[in-house]
Amino acid sequence: MTSAATGRKTMVLIVEDEFLLRMDAAEMFEEAGFDVLEAANADDAIALLEMRSDIEVIFTDIDMPGSMDGLKLAHAVRGRWPPIRIVTTSGQFGIGRDQLPVGGEFIAKPYDFDDVAATIRGLMGR
Amino acid sequence: MQTAAPKSAIASMEQELIAAGDGLAGNADLLRSVLAGCGDCIKILDLDGRLQFMSEGGKRVMEVEDFGKLKGCPWPDFWTGQGNTDARQAVATAIQGGVGRFKGPANTARGNLRHWDVQVAPIRGDKGQVTHLLSISRDITEEWRAVSELRDAMERQALLAAELQHRIKNTLAMVGAIANQTMRGDDVALARKAFNSRLTTLSRAHDILTQTSWTSAPIRDVIDGALALHPGQGRIDIRGPDLELAPKQALALALASHELATNAVKYGALSVSGGRVDIVWSNATAGTDAGFRFGWTESGGPPVEQPAEDKKGFGSRLIERILANDFAGEVRISYRPTGVVCELNAPTLAPAIAPAREAVS
């Protein structure tokens, strides 16, 4: 997917501690025409966000070990980088919209990648 | 508002005592016997809430040796925190003619914590006026303990159910990722076979982890489980010290070993008779440069060639990347004339203590 403004591919940051899921998601995003960055935890994700200015979407798992889980990460991103679109995912039952930052989306695991891509396209169109 | 027991009620009790048997009605000792025999702590307070009397049975359950030291003390002060508030409220309610009730913890005179079910009621004089208060405390420690144990068990159960649900969803997501990665070629029959054997590998690793409630898995069991699907096991030599792997590392090593064995059987040392595989690992003391080393070395097979980067299948990418990721180390796969060699160099694995396993008969 390309950004209308810049003509570049949309850059997605995938945050997922389970390697296999991260690798699979990265390949699916690439095949769908996105540029991809990967992080295995929230701290690495924050470090990437601080280093780069081209990240437009963050797709993060909620259940991650470390100082910050995906929900805290999502709120931190909304606070520090408001333009970034946020999509969260988890195998946990009942993550409510009220737990997500404003404008954030949630997709249950296991997910169909087409739903993830469609959700992100929807967010990019807003 | 209640009044004193009417004369008719007292007469009716006399009648019932007479009917109950000889020696009860008019026996001045009856009240003392009832109070001594009752297992509740029965107290009489004055209208300021001060202790004036405690039954014999009450001194027993409250572990009071010398009531003289307690007589005249404000009864609510035997309670702390919420119990103190509740006790004052119960006294106020009884003075107003009602019955105050509450439950709470308090120490006995010897300092043993017990849980009590308390009620405070008015005692009335001839003209119906409240003259004293009757406070009855029942020891409900055993019930309280049973209820709180049940509550704890239910909370644990709910936590376990949530954890299990989370783990199942995560596993299903992993299965989905393996399916995505496997179902890429045109040959459905081949893809199905590859998919099923990957699932079986994952399932065996789960079996091993389940034995320890997902705390760790012995490295040898993990490797044995991953190789069990493949032919030619008599030609695989496995050597290394006993080590416990973290769950993620166990899954990674199982999947990687499975992929290595699949390749060896298809194209490598296990594709011809006389070929061999040596699996060797070592784990250095923490803080040294050596760290954790794992090696898969094939020999005696047909010559192998390094596949082009864009021709590498999911298996090769999985081996390289999942081990590097989950062991935080470096992986090198070399296609030597003698056969494939896969080496993992990672930081020393912390000495996990093997949890006690239930003996299986």
Side-chain angles (χ1 to χ4, degrees):
Chain A
M1 170 167 192
T2 47
S3 160
T6 60
R8 283 186 293 107
K9 287 181 179 176
T10 300
M11 178 66 84
V12 179
L13 170 59
I14 302 169
V15 193
E16 165 68 63
D17 61 317
E18 197 70 63
F19 167 76
L20 203 54
L21 302 187
R22 192 169 76 242
M23 175 174 127
D24 186 50
E27 291 185 8
M28 293 292 159
F29 272 111
E30 278 166 2
E31 282 176 13
F34 293 87
D35 270 338
V36 173
L37 288 168
E38 297 178 39
N41 55 55
D43 293 331
D44 290 357
I46 294 280
L48 279 170
L49 286 160
E50 283 172 345
M51 266 174 3
R52 315 183 55 122
S53 56
D54 57 348
I55 297 168
E56 292 174 81
V57 180
I58 180 167
F59 177 57
T60 181
D61 182 29
I62 287 179
D63 319 285
M64 290 185 297
S67 61
M68 223 190 250
D69 68 10
L71 273 182
K72 284 193 189 146
L73 174 64
H75 284 277
V77 169
R78 176 56 77 243
R80 289 182 63 183
W81 297 279
I84 294 181
R85 274 74 161 183
I86 298 169
V87 181
T88 59
T89 183
S90 167
Q92 272 184 66
F93 176 74
I95 300 290
R97 190 161 284 274
D98 54 333
Q99 290 170 267
L100 299 175
V102 177
E105 292 287 346
F106 173 77
I107 293 174
K109 272 186 187 176
Y111 49 75
D112 180 342
F113 184 76
D114 290 346
D115 293 342
V116 178
T119 301
I120 288 174
R121 291 201 174 94
L123 286 175
M124 297 300 291
R126 276 184 205 168
Chain B
M1 181 115 171
Q2 287 178 337
T3 57
K7 292 275 189 297
S8 63
I10 294 170
S12 148
M13 191 173 84
E14 283 291 309
Q15 290 298 320
E16 284 168 18
L17 285 174
I18 291 164
D22 292 342
L24 290 175
N27 181 351
D29 219 26
L30 179 64
L31 179 62
R32 198 198 59 77
S33 302
V34 169
L35 289 176
C38 179
D40 295 348
C41 182
I42 299 171
K43 298 163 289 290
I44 294 175
L45 317 178
D46 64 19
L47 295 181
D48 292 324
R50 295 174 195 279
L51 265 180
Q52 299 302 335
F53 169 85
M54 186 180 283
S55 62
E56 284 307 310
K59 289 174 194 165
R60 214 162 47 231
V61 294
M62 207 57 85
E63 300 181 317
V64 172
E65 279 161 21
D66 181 5
F67 182 68
K69 285 183 183 163
L70 302 182
K71 190 168 187 294
C73 294
W75 172 72
D77 290 354
F78 291 104
W79 300 84
T80 56
Q82 181 62 37
N84 186 269
T85 311
D86 290 343
R88 286 176 195 284
Q89 181 60 46
V91 165
T93 302
I95 288 171
Q96 294 296 313
V99 178
R101 296 196 66 152
F102 67 96
K103 290 179 184 177
N107 286 340
T108 65
R110 283 198 202 143
N112 294 315
L113 185 68
R114 311 292 289 174
H115 286 259
W116 308 93
D117 182 356
V118 183
Q119 78 176 43
V120 183
I123 296 175
R124 294 171 191 279
D126 297 343
K127 301 186 177 73
Q129 81 283 18
V130 177
T131 63
H132 291 86
L133 306 177
L134 178 67
S135 155
I136 303 176
S137 305
R138 171 166 295 171
D139 183 349
I140 54 163
T141 307
E142 299 312 317
E143 294 94 310
W144 179 86
R145 224 168 251 161
V147 168
S148 51
E149 274 167 16
L150 185 64
R151 194 171 43 225
D152 287 353
M154 287 168 76
E155 276 170 18
R156 268 199 307 277
Q157 185 74 24
L159 269 178
L160 275 177
E163 174 60 26
L164 185 64
Q165 194 257 6
H166 175 207
R167 195 170 287 157
I168 288 171
K169 288 300 179 66
N170 213 49
T171 303
L172 288 175
M174 278 182 82
V175 170
I178 292 174
N180 275 341
Q181 294 291 328
T182 309
M183 311 292 177
R184 292 194 145 184
D186 295 329
D187 191 330
V188 176
L190 266 184
R192 186 164 55 220
K193 199 167 183 310
F195 178 66
N196 282 334
S197 65
R198 283 170 180 152
L199 274 199
T200 306
T201 303
L202 196 60
S203 169
R204 280 170 199 257
H206 272 70
D207 289 345
I208 296 165
L209 283 164
T210 301
Q211 290 174 34
T212 65
S213 302
W214 280 70
T215 51
S216 66
I219 185 168
R220 183 174 288 271
D221 292 358
V222 170
I223 295 170
D224 285 345
L227 299 179
L229 286 176
H230 302 277
Q233 286 171 61
R235 293 187 278 139
I236 303 177
D237 192 27
I238 305 176
R239 274 171 295 146
D242 289 341
L243 272 178
E244 291 287 324
L245 298 176
K248 266 194 181 166
Q249 296 171 338
L251 292 179
L253 188 62
L255 288 169
S257 300
H258 168 70
E259 298 304 331
L260 283 164
T262 303
N263 287 342
V265 169
K266 268 193 199 162
Y267 320 108
L270 299 180
S271 68
V272 294
S273 61
R276 301 194 47 80
V277 178
D278 285 280
I279 301 175
V280 180
W281 67 89
S282 60
N283 194 35
T285 323
T288 61
D289 289 340
F292 173 69
R293 299 269 166 87
F294 174 89
W296 169 288
T297 308
E298 298 183 23
S299 57
V304 287
E305 278 176 34
Q306 176 148 8
E309 197 59 37
D310 60 338
K311 287 281 187 325
K312 276 187 185 172
F314 169 56
S316 306
R317 283 176 295 135
L318 186 67
I319 296 163
E320 284 178 3
R321 295 185 55 189
I322 201 167
L323 288 178
N325 189 75
D326 290 336
F327 284 85
E330 285 175 13
V331 176
R332 195 169 55 233
I333 301 180
S334 338
Y335 297 84
R336 299 181 188 165
T338 48
V340 171
V341 176
C342 174
E343 292 164 299
L344 164 68
N345 286 324
T348 301
L349 298 184
I353 293 153
R357 287 187 178 72
E358 285 178 22
V360 179
S361 54

